Amino acid sequence: MTDPGQDDGGVGWGRRMALAWALAVALLLAHNGYLWLVKGVVPDTDIMALLPVEQRDPVLQQAFTHMVDAAQQRLVVLVGADDWDHARAAADAYSSVLARQPALLQRTVQLSAQTQQDWLAPSQQMRLSLLTPAQQAALRQQTPKYWVDTALQQLYSPFSGPKLGAWQDDPFGLFNGWVLARAQETPVRPRDGYLFVEDQGRPYIVLLLNLRQPAFSMATQQALLPLLDQAGAAARQAVPTVELVSAGVVLHAGAGSAQASREMSTIGIGSLLGVILLMWLTFRSLRPIAMIVLSIGVGCLASFSLCWMIFGQVHLLTLVFGASLIGVAQDYGIYFLCSRVAADRALGSWQLLRRLMPGLALTLAAAVIGYIGLALTPFPGLRQMAVFSVLGLVFAWLTVVFWFPALLTAQTLKNSAFAGWFGRTRRHWPLLGMNRASAVAVLLFGIFAVAGMTRLTVNDDIRSLQTPPKALLADQIKLGKLLDAPTPVQFYLVRGASAEQVLQREEALKQRLEPLVAKHVISGYQAMSNWTPSIREQAANRALVTQALLAADGPLQALAAQLGEDAGWVAQMRSRALSAAASANGGHDLTPAAFLKSAASEPSRFLWLGEIEGAQGRVHASIVALRGLNNYGNLPLLKQAAGELEGVSWVDKVSEISSVLGHYRQYMGWVLLGAYAAIFLLLFTRYRSTAWRVLTPPAVASIATLAMLGLLGQPLQLFHVLALMLILGLGVDYGIFLQEQSMQRDRFAWLTVGLSAASALLSFGLLALSATPPLHAFGFTMLIGIAVVWLVAPCFSQDSQQEKEEQHANKS
């Protein structure tokens, strides 16, 4: 149907463009369907992928991924009771429920007498090659009498500790001592086929479980969490006083998903209903809502498809930031809809579009300038966000231009009483000018801004963005203390040209860590060289034992005299020991490759990376993990321990990720200032001396928001700055709408500004109610900023003065 007053050429051209655009959107929809349904794409969640390539260390990245992959699929449950029998009964009840879902969970450790023997078999064959630092010192310093007394105690004392093998194989207890040192790397002990840990006489059975499904999968969480609740109920039914302590990434992910679902059903549905009600009151039709959603949907489809083609991957943070384009993209549709309501019915929709094109083009150009600033930074993550946002805005804008005139005729929308009332409210806004009231207002705002900005602090710590449930956090802390488990986010990365060189560098690092263990900076460390020393170290150990204990006039000879044995016995004992040394010298040294094939390596496999691809070619690498790191104030001491050790680097992922967030915040701050300057130059080309009227409201709103954060004691974070970028984009749109009204003498801009601001407050401002810190920070900033822009924009409008003069003339 042709609008009255619309030329046939415009209709024909418009229909052709609408059909062409429909074809383009169909292709985008098909490509998105292929990506999500056929290819099964998953957004990238690795925050280090946002770093510049030259700043990323591939070996370090693989080490961190290795640590995280090992941790995120693990679930640990402690079943505690007053005595061992009750703990066993509760653990059996708990495990019987979990056994119903073998495809979901797997017990990682199944103990038996044979399993425990298999653990020590490879090491026992190489017993002369394995010594602790304390044993090495004793062999160099102690007298033969000390070793004779030690051997006799091992033989006769029932309290000399566990016996591993025959006394004749280890008369001086060296292998026993080495095994005891390895056992001290964890307080967990085997008993009756279980692993357990004890705290003040209270036994806790340790259930080590491994997820067979991805921990971050919603399906996994929905299946696992009820199963754990059922297992807990079964354990409490068996032993009412049982204590259950659980920890695992999947539990935190599940809690986050549940919280997100609750917030979606409250904040999300509430804001959606608010926007629908607002649009209904304004247009008395659901068609405008569907049209705006359509334009935003096309923008999102296009940005995802094209970004995937350009980058080969889309980061999750890009999608989160890209969601902010909804707040800007809706302005184009609202601007056209409000203009259609206010325009003369004799004016066709395509003619109306031509009249609105300068303002529409300017709003798009201003938004694109702001986002292009991100593309000029050295961070690939920000460049991807910029491309995603620009594409989304352009395609949403093109949807408005090509489809809205075809979908709306002059008779489709009617002016409502609400729209008329809201348009009249603008006359109540004061106009800032050269008068006393304006000077007082500026002075008060200046005092407020200075008071708040001087109190503003900065906090980029990634831990401030996490608020796990208190029960989960308490369980995590207690389990960490009971198991003395290593942290997966602070460790040493050791590299070398060969496995042997890596082990030697580990041993050099451990010499520096021993004093820190003695000072209780850490409780210990885990390293592959604890289990498989370097070949050089193994040879040195064998030579040391041979020289200190097996010499002709050494402790072995004195021990024979004490026992009344003859020379034949001495020769037999010496031959028994030297045969193991000869076997090792014959090329059978204990190596990481051989050790990793044994059952004993299961808890330590995450420490060995082996041969991997690095920036300079293939290298060997390993991880030295730390236990008992409870005071983050000691991190500089640990970093210093790796200083000047070739091939050894200290890794603190918490600090590194926090540093990335800090860099992003700083760059976004500079980009924001650059965007203000660039947009002002753009506005100056059309508005000349009145361009400042468009840009001042978002600037005032940003300053007010920062001051409010300072006064409330909320430190500045990346998500506050991201919101300030959106406030700039929306605020400039409001200023352009008002300024275009003053130039064209139309009376629809204030309604456009009101609808856009109210929608933004409902869509983003309500996020301030979120319990998730990043969403709260973003929403709180938007709540203050958009409210301030909405309130002050008419005060800077040139048209306000003209309206007052017209009203005065009408009264006269």
Side-chain angles (χ1 to χ4, degrees):
M1 176 178 175
T2 305
D3 288 353
Q6 183 150 300
D7 58 280
D8 293 338
V11 173
W13 176 87
R15 285 177 176 172
R16 287 192 297 270
M17 295 307 299
L19 289 174
W21 192 241
L23 177 61
V25 172
L27 291 174
L28 289 173
L29 185 62
H31 186 249
N32 269 263
Y34 165 75
L35 290 178
W36 291 103
L37 302 178
V38 179
K39 195 171 183 179
V41 300
V42 177
D44 188 6
T45 58
D46 178 14
I47 196 169
M48 302 311 295
L50 302 174
L51 275 174
V53 175
E54 60 271 16
Q55 295 186 18
R56 294 167 59 191
D57 183 340
V59 176
L60 174 57
Q61 184 62 21
Q62 291 179 69
F64 181 60
T65 302
H66 187 75
M67 288 284 281
V68 169
D69 288 347
Q72 73 181 18
Q73 294 299 107
R74 188 180 302 130
L75 177 65
V76 182
V77 179
L78 302 185
V79 182
D82 295 331
D83 56 59
W84 179 250
D85 290 336
H86 283 94
R88 283 187 57 182
D92 287 339
Y94 195 97
S95 299
S96 64
V97 174
L98 299 185
R100 301 171 190 169
Q101 297 287 346
L104 183 63
L105 281 173
Q106 176 188 22
R107 286 277 296 272
T108 58
V109 177
Q110 300 289 341
L111 289 182
S112 66
Q114 185 61 42
T115 300
Q116 297 179 53
Q117 291 178 10
D118 293 343
W119 276 30
L120 295 176
S123 302
Q124 197 164 17
Q125 294 173 4
M126 315 299 296
R127 57 188 180 276
L128 286 190
S129 303
L130 305 174
L131 296 174
T132 67
Q135 289 173 336
Q136 292 171 339
L139 287 169
R140 294 188 182 98
Q141 299 169 8
Q142 294 295 343
T143 63
K145 183 178 183 304
Y146 167 85
W147 292 108
V148 171
D149 293 342
T150 299
L152 293 175
Q153 184 181 22
Q154 290 284 327
L155 179 61
Y156 295 122
S157 175
F159 305 107
S160 60
K163 304 294 192 300
L164 302 174
W167 176 84
Q168 291 86 350
D169 291 331
D170 186 31
F172 301 104
L174 294 178
F175 183 66
N176 273 10
W178 180 85
V179 171
L180 182 60
R182 300 289 70 77
Q184 289 175 348
E185 292 184 8
T186 174
V188 179
R189 298 290 181 267
R191 180 177 176 183
D192 297 341
Y194 289 94
L195 293 175
F196 85 103
V197 65
E198 198 169 71
D199 180 40
Q200 297 179 351
R202 184 179 178 86
Y204 291 84
I205 289 179
V206 182
L207 301 180
L208 299 177
L209 307 167
N210 193 59
L211 282 171
R212 290 185 166 180
Q213 306 294 331
F216 290 103
S217 166
M218 291 284 291
T220 301
Q221 297 161 18
Q222 292 170 359
L224 178 66
L225 299 182
L227 182 66
L228 295 179
D229 290 339
Q230 295 172 19
R236 292 185 184 93
Q237 184 176 2
V239 181
T241 59
V242 68
E243 179 184 359
L244 299 174
V245 182
S246 305
V249 172
V250 67
L251 300 180
H252 291 270
S257 299
Q259 179 174 292
S261 298
R262 290 193 300 269
E263 292 179 354
M264 180 64 71
S265 60
T266 53
I267 299 174
I269 295 177
S271 63
L272 177 62
L273 293 177
V275 171
I276 292 175
L277 177 62
L278 193 63
M279 293 294 182
W280 174 259
L281 290 174
T282 305
F283 302 112
R284 296 293 180 177
S285 172
L286 294 179
R287 177 180 286 193
I289 303 172
M291 292 173 64
I292 292 175
V293 171
L294 176 65
S295 66
I296 295 172
V298 171
C300 293
L301 289 174
S303 51
F304 188 85
S305 283
L306 295 178
C307 273
W308 192 276
M309 294 180 190
I310 295 170
F311 299 104
Q313 181 65 277
V314 177
H315 199 278
L316 182 62
L317 195 57
T318 298
L319 297 180
V320 173
F321 178 73
S324 67
L325 68 85
I326 296 172
V328 182
Q330 71 176 359
D331 287 356
Y332 310 139
I334 290 176
Y335 185 46
F336 184 88
L337 293 171
C338 291
S339 301
R340 181 66 277 176
V341 169
D344 189 340
R345 292 194 178 186
L347 184 67
S349 290
W350 292 105
Q351 291 175 320
L352 175 64
L353 177 65
R354 286 197 293 270
R355 177 182 295 182
L356 298 178
M357 278 303 291
L360 278 172
L362 202 57
T363 56
L364 177 64
V368 168
I369 285 175
Y371 288 116
I372 283 179
L374 298 181
L376 301 178
T377 66
F379 292 100
L382 288 182
R383 288 199 293 269
Q384 189 180 104
M385 293 177 196
V387 172
F388 187 96
S389 299
V390 167
L391 290 172
L393 292 178
V394 169
F395 275 74
W397 187 87
L398 290 174
T399 302
V400 172
V401 170
F402 291 148
W403 278 358
F404 276 37
L407 296 173
L408 278 180
T409 64
Q411 290 76 29
T412 303
L413 296 180
K414 298 179 180 180
N415 199 354
S416 67
F418 175 80
W421 167 82
F422 188 86
R424 292 190 296 271
T425 61
R426 184 181 174 189
R427 69 184 63 171
H428 302 295
W429 258 258
L431 176 68
L432 290 177
M434 302 299 292
N435 53 60
R436 181 177 298 177
S438 298
V440 171
V442 171
L443 177 62
L444 292 177
F445 179 77
I447 294 173
F448 164 76
V450 172
M453 297 280 277
T454 54
R455 289 174 171 81
L456 188 63
T457 59
V458 172
N459 182 13
D460 299 310
D461 194 334
I462 185 67
R463 287 168 294 195
S464 66
L465 302 180
Q466 301 171 330
T467 54
K470 292 182 178 180
L472 274 182
L473 185 60
D475 276 8
Q476 186 80 42
I477 293 173
K478 181 165 186 176
L479 187 141
K481 289 181 178 179
L482 289 178
L483 299 186
D484 196 19
T487 169
V489 291
Q490 283 103 9
F491 55 88
Y492 295 99
L493 176 62
V494 185
R495 311 178 222 208
S498 63
E500 172 67 10
Q501 189 176 57
V502 169
L503 294 173
Q504 291 181 17
R505 289 174 173 176
E506 276 191 13
E507 289 159 356
L509 172 63
K510 292 193 298 183
Q511 292 179 3
R512 295 191 177 187
L513 293 180
E514 284 296 331
L516 299 180
V517 176
K519 294 177 182 177
H520 304 290
V521 173
I522 54 177
S523 61
Y525 51 81
Q526 293 181 358
M528 183 57 66
S529 55
N530 286 351
W531 293 90
T532 60
S534 66
I535 294 176
R536 182 182 66 181
E537 182 79 358
Q538 292 182 50
N541 287 341
R542 290 191 296 268
L544 183 60
V545 172
T546 302
Q547 179 181 359
L549 300 180
L550 305 181
D553 56 348
L556 188 61
Q557 189 75 32
L559 178 62
Q562 287 279 352
L563 295 175
E565 298 289 351
D566 56 17
W569 182 87
V570 174
Q572 183 182 10
M573 292 289 289
R574 184 180 291 116
S575 175
R576 196 167 187 157
L578 291 178
S579 62
S583 174
N585 283 326
H588 297 88
D589 294 280
L590 191 59
T591 63
F595 174 68
L596 291 173
K597 297 176 182 178
S598 68
S601 69
E602 199 280 331
S604 307
R605 286 171 187 164
F606 72 98
L607 299 172
W608 191 249
L609 298 173
E611 188 176 7
I612 57 178
E613 190 67 37
Q616 307 298 326
R618 298 192 68 80
V619 297
H620 289 74
S622 71
I623 290 168
V624 175
L626 303 174
R627 297 184 291 109
L629 179 56
N630 300 319
N631 184 356
Y632 289 106
N634 290 326
L635 292 179
L637 294 175
L638 295 166
K639 182 178 181 180
Q640 185 179 358
E644 299 181 1
L645 274 181
E646 187 176 1
V648 179
S649 51
W650 166 247
V651 179
D652 182 359
K653 296 305 294 186
V654 172
S655 297
E656 190 171 352
I657 294 175
S658 300
S659 177
V660 171
L661 294 178
H663 281 302
Y664 269 61
R665 177 185 51 77
Q666 294 172 8
Y667 268 101
M668 285 292 295
W670 288 110
V671 167
L672 185 62
L673 294 177
Y676 269 96
I679 291 174
F680 178 80
L681 294 177
L682 174 68
L683 297 173
F684 186 79
T685 61
R686 179 166 175 81
Y687 302 127
R688 300 297 177 184
S689 60
T690 59
W692 67 273
R693 296 180 182 275
V694 177
L695 208 56
T696 301
V700 169
S702 296
I703 294 172
T705 302
L706 293 174
M708 185 64 72
L709 291 175
L711 291 174
L712 295 177
Q714 291 194 19
L716 185 66
Q717 297 172 340
L718 170 65
F719 294 92
H720 294 118
V721 183
L722 293 178
L724 292 178
M725 178 67 76
L726 184 55
I727 290 171
L728 169 61
L730 292 172
V732 168
D733 285 354
Y734 303 162
I736 290 174
F737 296 155
L738 294 173
Q739 196 64 23
E740 287 293 312
Q741 170 185 298
S742 68
M743 297 175 66
Q744 298 184 15
R745 310 302 300 139
D746 291 326
R747 297 290 177 236
F748 57 81
W750 182 233
L751 178 61
T752 303
V753 171
L755 282 179
S756 176
S759 299
L761 287 174
L762 288 170
S763 301
F764 299 108
L766 287 181
L767 291 176
L769 302 176
S770 173
T772 305
L775 295 181
H776 171 77
F778 189 89
F780 185 73
T781 306
M782 290 295 295
L783 183 65
I784 299 173
I786 296 301
V788 173
V789 171
W790 190 6
L791 290 174
V792 305
C795 301
F796 291 92
S797 174
Q798 190 178 23
D799 193 52
S800 295
Q801 184 63 36
Q802 295 173 352
E803 284 190 351
K804 290 180 182 296
E805 291 174 357
E806 290 178 0
Q807 294 168 14
H808 180 71
N810 292 335
K811 289 179 181 179
S812 300

